[in-house]
Amino acid sequence: MAKSQKPGERPRKPVEPKEPLKGASKTKSVKIDVDEDDPLAEIKSLQKEEITTEAIPVSELKKAKYEKQIPGQFDFEAFDSKGFGEGYSKEKRAEMEQMYSGTVTSVNSGEVVKGTVVGINDRDVILNIGFKSDGLVPLAEFKEMTNLKIGDVVDLFIEEREDAMGQLVLSRRKAKLVKGWEYVQTALDKDEVIEGFVKRRTKGGLIVDVFGIEAFLPGSQIDVKPIRDFDIYVNKNIEVKVVKINYTNDNVVVSHKVLIEKDLEQQKAAILTNLEKGQVLEGVIKNMTNFGVFIDLGGVDGLLHITDISWGRINHPEEVLKLDQTVKVVVLDFDEDKKRISLGMKQLTAHPWDALAAEIQVGSKVKGKIVNVADYGAFLELQPGVEGLIHVSEMSWSQHLRNPQDFMKVGDEVEAVVLTLDRDERKMSLGIKQLTEDPWTRQDVLSKYAVGTKHKGIVRNLTNFGLFIELEEGIDGLVHVSDLSWTKKIKHPSEFVKVGESMEVQVLELDAANRRLALSHKHMEENPWDTFETVFTIGSVHKATIINKNDKGAVLELPYGIEGFVAAKNLAKEDNSKAEVGESLDFKVLEFSKEDRRIVLSHKSIWSADEEKPAAAAGAAKGGKKAPAKGASIQSINQQNEKSTLGDLEALSALKEKMQGGEGKGE
């Protein structure tokens, strides 16, 4: 009995049992309800129903397996195979493989393949690459293809053959990059000219889109001449060449300049072939420097030096020229091998010396503007291209040369006197001190600087033998080192005074013819040695400090700031030790000379009974006479000799009388 139908199940149709095989025993006929939509429903029903059969011979089963199946019957033995696809013969399998191989493409991840647009919706584009399934690519990756339609063929990059959802993952953006790098490498290998689109400017150049890759176009590679405004190239197409590829940093460098240089090489060759000295050309200023300007002559550059721009003196070319200005120049010289061209502009006009006024002669006064100041003088421009040199010695009557900038600076309007003029050599020397009177030729110079007059001046220069003082502009005098102080022994003037300080002096000698003045600073005070003569008398004792010492003796500092000398042997102290530098001891004066400003002293004489005597005293002792003081007159010497003679006579008379008295007593 068939099972009753459950609610909601599909209606089953009755299935007649198959025709029994030959040789098989008859079976019990059973009517089974089978689901019409399920092809395996018949088998499932047979398995569910309990069927009783009789044994069938094996030979009949084998024979029945290879017999042609009768429609409506099912071969259970043929269906019950060991694995999927094992029921196909080799010929059948080969046939099936051939059919599938023509319809399904074998693809790998990371490849770039062609795909056909088979569908477009609001978000995605459906593409067929010949694989078992189609792929989806976002519509945003096709934004540059405004006319995208079904049937278009595009390049696609296979990211994944099958993702977690079993979907084929494609990318048009990555395909463009891969293809772009291939095109860029090909352009570099074959040195091809490609077209790019300037997207934006950046620091130092432009960003150019070539084959979907952002390449860098340096500012120096845009044109042969410097470009100051990069914005004019933005959002425009430009032809470039690939010059460098760096795969590590994904960097591509392109150049537009190399395209222009090829054309310019032909133009340069043509220009240099026809170039001649003295030829007048027209060019455009493309660059400016401190030393000149570079001019584009139409494919070849020439240098216009700053000295060849104008006959007048200029500090920078921008004072008279501007960038991109068209100018006429003359060819001064050129080197075909080095492709260097020297140009001139001032040579197109007459030299201003040729137009110099004839009334300008030696001794005439001229006016102009200072255009340059150097260490040795200044240049006065009378008119553009005509200059004269004012040497520093011609700026002041002073004998001491100073910096010309102390007198004038660039831009000053100055009047001068022409000292020399050579129109052929185009040279002129000028002077400005000649506009004033020479101070040495004034009428009052002899009375103003007479001997004994006192003045105040400024120290201008120091030498080993003295110093020079400027009393007024052009009047200088010499102060010898020995005339700086009465008391101090000065070896160099720098010990006493510095340059720029003021000093009071007295005129010792005047020679107006030779422009010489002998001055003295110590004569501003009375000679203190007249007073010292009464203080430092021979034999007087004074407290002194040793300030210097050598093998011969020591220098002492005496009261009133004067110095004295003591011999080495006279430095011995009472304990037989030697006095050292810095000690303050008592010293006795042995010798005093006002003319030589010399005082000789001794410490040994303070404690020793053997008193040291000066040379003059010793000489008097030997002759029984007192030596006359140094500098005494002949008259005083004669008087001294006369007194000695009379004394001797008186002594002899007394001795005679004494002898005579003794004789009388004896008698």
Side-chain angles (χ1 to χ4, degrees), residues 18-51:
K18 295 181 180 179
E19 183 178 346
L21 296 175
K22 294 180 180 181
S25 60
K26 293 182 180 181
T27 61
K28 185 179 180 180
S29 178
V30 180
K31 189 176 182 180
I32 304 172
D33 293 334
V34 181
D35 190 352
E36 296 178 353
D37 297 331
D38 190 355
L40 300 179
E42 181 180 356
I43 301 174
K44 294 178 181 179
S45 300
L46 293 175
Q47 292 176 349
K48 292 180 180 180
E49 297 292 337
E50 182 180 357
I51 304 174

Tab-separated table of all heavy atoms in Angstrom, residues 18-51:
chain	number	residue	atom	x	y	z
A	18	LYS	N	8.269	-1.505	-14.005
A	18	LYS	CA	8.952	-1.814	-15.256
A	18	LYS	C	8.669	-3.238	-15.691
A	18	LYS	O	8.318	-4.085	-14.889
A	18	LYS	CB	10.453	-1.630	-15.071
A	18	LYS	CG	10.850	-0.190	-14.793
A	18	LYS	CD	12.338	-0.084	-14.651
A	18	LYS	CE	12.761	1.325	-14.365
A	18	LYS	NZ	14.194	1.441	-14.212
A	19	GLU	N	8.947	-3.383	-17.018
A	19	GLU	CA	8.741	-4.734	-17.571
A	19	GLU	C	9.814	-5.646	-17.029
A	19	GLU	O	10.993	-5.315	-17.025
A	19	GLU	CB	8.831	-4.663	-19.096
A	19	GLU	CG	8.553	-6.006	-19.748
A	19	GLU	CD	8.610	-5.904	-21.241
A	19	GLU	OE1	8.591	-4.729	-21.754
A	19	GLU	OE2	8.702	-6.907	-21.912
A	20	PRO	N	9.493	-6.795	-16.572
A	20	PRO	CA	10.483	-7.688	-15.963
A	20	PRO	C	11.476	-8.156	-16.989
A	20	PRO	O	11.188	-8.223	-18.181
A	20	PRO	CB	9.623	-8.823	-15.409
A	20	PRO	CG	8.396	-8.831	-16.236
A	20	PRO	CD	8.135	-7.406	-16.590
A	21	LEU	N	12.685	-8.392	-16.484
A	21	LEU	CA	13.732	-8.895	-17.356
A	21	LEU	C	13.451	-10.343	-17.731
A	21	LEU	O	12.725	-11.070	-17.041
A	21	LEU	CB	15.069	-8.818	-16.621
A	21	LEU	CG	15.541	-7.395	-16.258
A	21	LEU	CD1	16.806	-7.488	-15.442
A	21	LEU	CD2	15.742	-6.564	-17.506
A	22	LYS	N	14.134	-10.692	-18.849
A	22	LYS	CA	13.976	-12.071	-19.300
A	22	LYS	C	14.646	-12.991	-18.302
A	22	LYS	O	15.734	-12.745	-17.857
A	22	LYS	CB	14.603	-12.251	-20.682
A	22	LYS	CG	13.877	-11.466	-21.766
A	22	LYS	CD	14.544	-11.689	-23.120
A	22	LYS	CE	13.831	-10.928	-24.200
A	22	LYS	NZ	14.435	-11.134	-25.524
A	23	GLY	N	13.976	-14.081	-18.024
A	23	GLY	CA	14.550	-15.065	-17.110
A	23	GLY	C	14.305	-14.786	-15.662
A	23	GLY	O	14.704	-15.529	-14.802
A	24	ALA	N	13.721	-13.625	-15.377
A	24	ALA	CA	13.487	-13.262	-13.969
A	24	ALA	C	12.130	-13.750	-13.554
A	24	ALA	O	11.223	-13.868	-14.362
A	24	ALA	CB	13.598	-11.751	-13.803
A	25	SER	N	12.029	-13.978	-12.320
A	25	SER	CA	10.740	-14.404	-11.772
A	25	SER	C	9.816	-13.234	-11.676
A	25	SER	O	10.245	-12.087	-11.599
A	25	SER	CB	10.965	-15.030	-10.390
A	25	SER	OG	11.563	-14.088	-9.536
A	26	LYS	N	8.566	-13.527	-11.694
A	26	LYS	CA	7.575	-12.465	-11.659
A	26	LYS	C	7.566	-11.820	-10.304
A	26	LYS	O	7.744	-12.441	-9.298
A	26	LYS	CB	6.180	-13.033	-11.961
A	26	LYS	CG	6.055	-13.539	-13.375
A	26	LYS	CD	4.642	-14.034	-13.624
A	26	LYS	CE	4.476	-14.554	-15.034
A	26	LYS	NZ	3.086	-15.034	-15.316
A	27	THR	N	7.316	-10.494	-10.322
A	27	THR	CA	7.258	-9.703	-9.083
A	27	THR	C	5.862	-9.270	-8.836
A	27	THR	O	5.011	-9.266	-9.718
A	27	THR	CB	8.152	-8.454	-9.203
A	27	THR	OG1	7.687	-7.664	-10.272
A	27	THR	CG2	9.609	-8.846	-9.405
A	28	LYS	N	5.669	-8.881	-7.619
A	28	LYS	CA	4.359	-8.403	-7.197
A	28	LYS	C	4.166	-6.986	-7.694
A	28	LYS	O	4.979	-6.106	-7.462
A	28	LYS	CB	4.268	-8.449	-5.676
A	28	LYS	CG	2.887	-8.091	-5.171
A	28	LYS	CD	2.876	-8.189	-3.681
A	28	LYS	CE	1.493	-7.845	-3.149
A	28	LYS	NZ	1.464	-7.935	-1.660
A	29	SER	N	3.118	-6.760	-8.392
A	29	SER	CA	2.838	-5.431	-8.962
A	29	SER	C	2.352	-4.517	-7.861
A	29	SER	O	1.365	-4.800	-7.190
A	29	SER	CB	1.769	-5.547	-10.080
A	29	SER	OG	1.490	-4.281	-10.567
A	30	VAL	N	3.083	-3.389	-7.743
A	30	VAL	CA	2.748	-2.402	-6.704
A	30	VAL	C	2.630	-1.035	-7.366
A	30	VAL	O	3.509	-0.613	-8.123
A	30	VAL	CB	3.827	-2.331	-5.607
A	30	VAL	CG1	3.434	-1.306	-4.563
A	30	VAL	CG2	4.037	-3.692	-4.978
A	31	LYS	N	1.577	-0.323	-7.072
A	31	LYS	CA	1.341	1.025	-7.608
A	31	LYS	C	1.901	2.047	-6.634
A	31	LYS	O	1.537	2.067	-5.464
A	31	LYS	CB	-0.161	1.224	-7.813
A	31	LYS	CG	-0.467	2.499	-8.567
A	31	LYS	CD	-1.970	2.600	-8.839
A	31	LYS	CE	-2.288	3.827	-9.618
A	31	LYS	NZ	-3.734	3.962	-9.911
A	32	ILE	N	2.800	2.946	-7.107
A	32	ILE	CA	3.520	3.921	-6.254
A	32	ILE	C	3.235	5.327	-6.740
A	32	ILE	O	3.229	5.604	-7.939
A	32	ILE	CB	5.027	3.648	-6.302
A	32	ILE	CG1	5.334	2.194	-5.894
A	32	ILE	CG2	5.764	4.618	-5.409
A	32	ILE	CD1	6.771	1.812	-6.110
A	33	ASP	N	2.967	6.200	-5.771
A	33	ASP	CA	2.771	7.638	-6.105
A	33	ASP	C	4.141	8.311	-6.234
A	33	ASP	O	4.960	8.276	-5.305
A	33	ASP	CB	1.954	8.325	-5.006
A	33	ASP	CG	0.529	7.778	-4.974
A	33	ASP	OD1	0.090	7.314	-6.025
A	33	ASP	OD2	-0.076	7.848	-3.888
A	34	VAL	N	4.407	8.964	-7.361
A	34	VAL	CA	5.733	9.597	-7.657
A	34	VAL	C	5.553	11.087	-7.931
A	34	VAL	O	4.599	11.470	-8.620
A	34	VAL	CB	6.413	8.924	-8.874
A	34	VAL	CG1	7.763	9.569	-9.142
A	34	VAL	CG2	6.567	7.440	-8.620
A	35	ASP	N	6.469	11.885	-7.411
A	35	ASP	CA	6.446	13.347	-7.657
A	35	ASP	C	6.864	13.599	-9.091
A	35	ASP	O	7.940	13.187	-9.541
A	35	ASP	CB	7.411	14.049	-6.700
A	35	ASP	CG	7.235	15.543	-6.750
A	35	ASP	OD1	6.492	16.038	-7.604
A	35	ASP	OD2	7.882	16.226	-5.902
A	36	GLU	N	6.015	14.268	-9.826
A	36	GLU	CA	6.275	14.482	-11.248
A	36	GLU	C	7.475	15.399	-11.488
A	36	GLU	O	8.151	15.287	-12.498
A	36	GLU	CB	5.021	15.071	-11.921
A	36	GLU	CG	3.829	14.122	-11.882
A	36	GLU	CD	2.607	14.761	-12.504
A	36	GLU	OE1	2.711	15.973	-12.821
A	36	GLU	OE2	1.599	14.081	-12.685
A	37	ASP	N	7.760	16.377	-10.583
A	37	ASP	CA	8.858	17.346	-10.810
A	37	ASP	C	10.210	16.794	-10.396
A	37	ASP	O	11.242	17.356	-10.750
A	37	ASP	CB	8.599	18.648	-10.034
A	37	ASP	CG	7.329	19.328	-10.536
A	37	ASP	OD1	7.033	19.121	-11.722
A	37	ASP	OD2	6.710	20.083	-9.750
A	38	ASP	N	10.278	15.794	-9.609
A	38	ASP	CA	11.551	15.257	-9.130
A	38	ASP	C	11.920	14.063	-9.982
A	38	ASP	O	11.232	13.047	-9.977
A	38	ASP	CB	11.410	14.841	-7.668
A	38	ASP	CG	12.780	14.507	-7.077
A	38	ASP	OD1	13.786	14.516	-7.839
A	38	ASP	OD2	12.848	14.253	-5.858
A	39	PRO	N	13.058	14.149	-10.758
A	39	PRO	CA	13.424	13.023	-11.621
A	39	PRO	C	13.854	11.802	-10.842
A	39	PRO	O	13.819	10.698	-11.342
A	39	PRO	CB	14.571	13.588	-12.458
A	39	PRO	CG	15.121	14.715	-11.647
A	39	PRO	CD	13.966	15.298	-10.920
A	40	LEU	N	14.257	12.000	-9.620
A	40	LEU	CA	14.697	10.863	-8.815
A	40	LEU	C	13.588	10.373	-7.899
A	40	LEU	O	13.827	9.555	-7.003
A	40	LEU	CB	15.932	11.242	-7.986
A	40	LEU	CG	17.167	11.693	-8.761
A	40	LEU	CD1	18.292	12.047	-7.819
A	40	LEU	CD2	17.620	10.592	-9.714
A	41	ALA	N	12.420	10.943	-8.061
A	41	ALA	CA	11.314	10.561	-7.160
A	41	ALA	C	10.967	9.081	-7.307
A	41	ALA	O	10.606	8.405	-6.350
A	41	ALA	CB	10.081	11.430	-7.447
A	42	GLU	N	11.085	8.589	-8.552
A	42	GLU	CA	10.733	7.173	-8.786
A	42	GLU	C	11.656	6.256	-8.023
A	42	GLU	O	11.228	5.281	-7.394
A	42	GLU	CB	10.805	6.877	-10.293
A	42	GLU	CG	10.440	5.435	-10.637
A	42	GLU	CD	10.512	5.167	-12.124
A	42	GLU	OE1	10.772	6.167	-12.877
A	42	GLU	OE2	10.351	4.039	-12.546
A	43	ILE	N	12.971	6.632	-8.043
A	43	ILE	CA	13.947	5.790	-7.338
A	43	ILE	C	13.731	5.859	-5.846
A	43	ILE	O	13.778	4.865	-5.128
A	43	ILE	CB	15.362	6.214	-7.710
A	43	ILE	CG1	15.578	6.083	-9.228
A	43	ILE	CG2	16.411	5.421	-6.952
A	43	ILE	CD1	16.882	6.607	-9.726
A	44	LYS	N	13.478	7.091	-5.360
A	44	LYS	CA	13.252	7.258	-3.925
A	44	LYS	C	12.011	6.464	-3.468
A	44	LYS	O	12.000	5.872	-2.405
A	44	LYS	CB	13.079	8.729	-3.590
A	44	LYS	CG	14.337	9.553	-3.807
A	44	LYS	CD	14.096	11.022	-3.509
A	44	LYS	CE	15.339	11.837	-3.752
A	44	LYS	NZ	15.125	13.259	-3.502
A	45	SER	N	10.997	6.446	-4.300
A	45	SER	CA	9.766	5.724	-3.922
A	45	SER	C	10.001	4.221	-3.869
A	45	SER	O	9.502	3.517	-3.001
A	45	SER	CB	8.635	6.045	-4.918
A	45	SER	OG	8.394	7.433	-4.905
A	46	LEU	N	10.774	3.732	-4.867
A	46	LEU	CA	11.061	2.304	-4.888
A	46	LEU	C	11.857	1.872	-3.664
A	46	LEU	O	11.691	0.780	-3.153
A	46	LEU	CB	11.811	1.928	-6.166
A	46	LEU	CG	11.010	2.057	-7.471
A	46	LEU	CD1	11.891	1.779	-8.660
A	46	LEU	CD2	9.824	1.058	-7.463
A	47	GLN	N	12.742	2.784	-3.228
A	47	GLN	CA	13.522	2.436	-2.052
A	47	GLN	C	12.667	2.424	-0.806
A	47	GLN	O	12.937	1.728	0.158
A	47	GLN	CB	14.692	3.423	-1.889
A	47	GLN	CG	15.744	3.286	-2.970
A	47	GLN	CD	16.830	4.326	-2.836
A	47	GLN	OE1	16.681	5.265	-2.048
A	47	GLN	NE2	17.895	4.141	-3.593
A	48	LYS	N	11.640	3.281	-0.771
A	48	LYS	CA	10.789	3.354	0.416
A	48	LYS	C	9.816	2.151	0.502
A	48	LYS	O	9.487	1.690	1.573
A	48	LYS	CB	9.993	4.661	0.419
A	48	LYS	CG	10.869	5.890	0.610
A	48	LYS	CD	10.041	7.149	0.601
A	48	LYS	CE	10.918	8.369	0.781
A	48	LYS	NZ	10.123	9.602	0.773
A	49	GLU	N	9.373	1.718	-0.640
A	49	GLU	CA	8.387	0.634	-0.630
A	49	GLU	C	9.079	-0.712	-0.429
A	49	GLU	O	10.221	-0.923	-0.872
A	49	GLU	CB	7.592	0.609	-1.950
A	49	GLU	CG	6.782	1.877	-2.172
A	49	GLU	CD	5.660	1.982	-1.168
A	49	GLU	OE1	5.237	0.949	-0.609
A	49	GLU	OE2	5.220	3.138	-0.922
A	50	GLU	N	8.436	-1.554	0.222
A	50	GLU	CA	8.957	-2.903	0.468
A	50	GLU	C	8.576	-3.790	-0.715
A	50	GLU	O	7.392	-4.022	-0.994
A	50	GLU	CB	8.349	-3.488	1.753
A	50	GLU	CG	8.896	-4.853	2.082
A	50	GLU	CD	8.282	-5.416	3.348
A	50	GLU	OE1	7.464	-4.694	3.991
A	50	GLU	OE2	8.630	-6.533	3.715
A	51	ILE	N	9.614	-4.209	-1.471
A	51	ILE	CA	9.376	-5.002	-2.689
A	51	ILE	C	10.015	-6.371	-2.495
A	51	ILE	O	11.188	-6.455	-2.109
A	51	ILE	CB	9.948	-4.297	-3.921
A	51	ILE	CG1	9.359	-2.880	-4.056
A	51	ILE	CG2	9.722	-5.119	-5.175
A	51	ILE	CD1	9.977	-2.099	-5.160
